[in-house]
Amino acid sequence: MKKLALSTSVVSSLLCLSVASAQTELKPQWEAGAGFAAIDFPMYRGSNERRSYLLPIPYFVYRGDTVQINRERVRGLIFKRDRVEMDISVNGSVPAKGAIARQGMPDLDPTLEVGPSLNVHLYYSEDRKSNFDMRMPVRGAVASDFKHVQPVGWLFQPQLDADFLDVDHSGWNIGLVGGLVFSDQRYNQYFYNVAPQYATAARPAYAVGGGYAGTQCIFAFNKRRQDGRWMGGFMKWDNLNGAVFAESPLVKTRQYFTVGFAVTWTLDKSDKMVEVHND
């Protein structure tokens, strides 16, 4: 499932949708368009305070030999073999400003996560309409208020991914992905530590280490129409039971859903056509 904001996380989560084509075909080298996205999500993992947004979203698609840009991600292909490839994984988180659980504490700046992902193609159907992959991204994270940049650690997120294309010849694509999250001490401290000076009767001081950071499962769907309209949605389940930071007083819920939906329209495209196996 190709990954991928109001911050980076919003766009990445909302557009975490498979858009692979079932066969090789000619497509414009680039396309540009716009649309809107609706999404409802927690302020940070484990927060019981949520935000809902209706956002305008421009999009740009570029189909190059090494660099590929689509609705889901900017993909820099490092190497590719028949069954194994390595590319760039991007994710992030939204700013958490004014969270009641963090009252009196510094706000959380948005984060950007970037790093390599080793992808192993475990199964392809003969018609390439279904596939099963294992993806192993490792990403370094930085937090920024757009004035200062602060490194905030690393994440490792091994995942199993299944895609089903043109289900029942309907044009709809379905993606399922699930996996574990591991994060280092610095990353967990950024989100879940409570320093002694911020401790209260209801929020005791807390310090956390690195390790297991929960489980995530995503169901996603999308369809592209002949008139250039693209639509898709997703539902993500996040389970923090057993996470090393689960006892933090800043964790108010250990299981929750994030949902989103987007529609875009193609406004312009190149005259040059290129042969592609997937989008």
Side-chain angles (χ1 to χ4, degrees):
M1 184 172 299
K2 299 179 179 178
K3 305 296 178 286
L4 152 307
L6 192 72
S7 77
T8 305
S9 177
V10 175
V11 172
S12 301
S13 296
L14 182 55
L15 300 182
C16 185
L17 310 173
S18 169
V19 292
S21 303
Q23 57 188 2
T24 299
E25 58 183 309
L26 290 175
K27 292 189 175 183
Q29 187 174 50
W30 62 264
E31 298 177 45
F36 68 88
I39 186 167
D40 178 79
F41 58 94
M43 295 184 70
Y44 57 87
R45 295 185 71 213
S47 173
N48 61 353
E49 301 171 68
R50 302 181 68 88
R51 294 289 184 267
S52 298
Y53 291 96
L54 181 64
L55 305 169
I57 50 169
Y59 86 83
F60 180 72
V61 173
Y62 177 76
R63 303 177 176 98
D65 293 333
T66 302
V67 176
Q68 299 171 9
I69 303 171
N70 59 34
R71 294 173 180 84
E72 292 71 41
R73 62 180 178 178
V74 177
R75 181 189 186 202
L77 190 62
I78 299 173
F79 74 81
K80 183 174 183 178
R81 300 292 184 267
D82 287 344
R83 290 287 177 177
V84 179
E85 69 179 27
M86 181 174 286
D87 62 13
I88 301 299
S89 174
V90 179
N91 206 335
S93 67
V94 300
K97 298 184 182 295
I100 295 174
R102 297 183 59 88
Q103 189 172 19
M105 298 179 64
D107 290 329
L108 294 175
D109 292 327
T111 65
L112 174 65
E113 306 166 12
V114 182
S117 176
L118 181 66
N119 309 322
V120 181
H121 306 302
L122 302 175
Y123 168 78
Y124 282 116
S125 63
E126 187 174 344
D127 60 6
R128 294 298 180 104
K129 287 191 174 184
S130 60
N131 63 272
F132 186 58
D133 297 341
M134 178 170 61
R135 300 183 181 275
M136 294 174 284
V138 178
R139 298 186 298 268
V142 296
S144 176
D145 60 0
F146 304 105
K147 295 179 181 178
H148 306 92
V149 177
Q150 171 190 0
V152 291
W154 293 84
L155 298 96
F156 174 51
Q157 195 169 0
Q159 301 171 323
L160 293 176
D161 166 40
D163 289 319
F164 306 94
L165 310 177
D166 192 23
V167 176
D168 289 335
H169 307 287
S170 64
W172 285 99
N173 305 316
I174 293 175
L176 301 169
V177 63
L180 309 178
V181 184
F182 299 90
S183 47
D184 73 352
Q185 182 178 30
R186 185 165 50 169
Y187 186 90
N188 293 337
Q189 286 176 339
Y190 179 72
F191 287 95
Y192 303 107
N193 261 21
V194 178
Q197 64 267 34
Y198 301 122
T200 67
R203 187 180 62 206
Y206 181 82
V208 65
Y212 173 68
T215 303
Q216 293 183 341
C217 298
I218 301 173
F219 167 75
F221 58 92
N222 68 70
K223 180 177 183 178
R224 181 169 184 169
R225 296 167 58 95
Q226 293 297 323
D227 61 7
R229 183 174 60 173
W230 177 95
M231 62 189 73
F234 82 99
M235 177 180 290
K236 179 172 71 173
W237 176 62
D238 210 341
N239 181 7
L240 303 183
N241 284 313
V244 293
F245 51 77
E247 299 300 326
S248 169
L250 300 176
V251 173
K252 299 300 184 180
T253 180
R254 298 188 183 184
Q255 297 187 58
Y256 57 89
F257 288 93
T258 299
V259 294
F261 184 79
V263 179
T264 65
W265 289 265
T266 301
L267 302 178
D268 197 8
K269 58 187 176 181
S270 70
D271 294 328
K272 181 180 178 180
M273 307 294 284
V274 295
E275 189 176 79
V276 295
H277 293 277
N278 54 64
D279 229 8

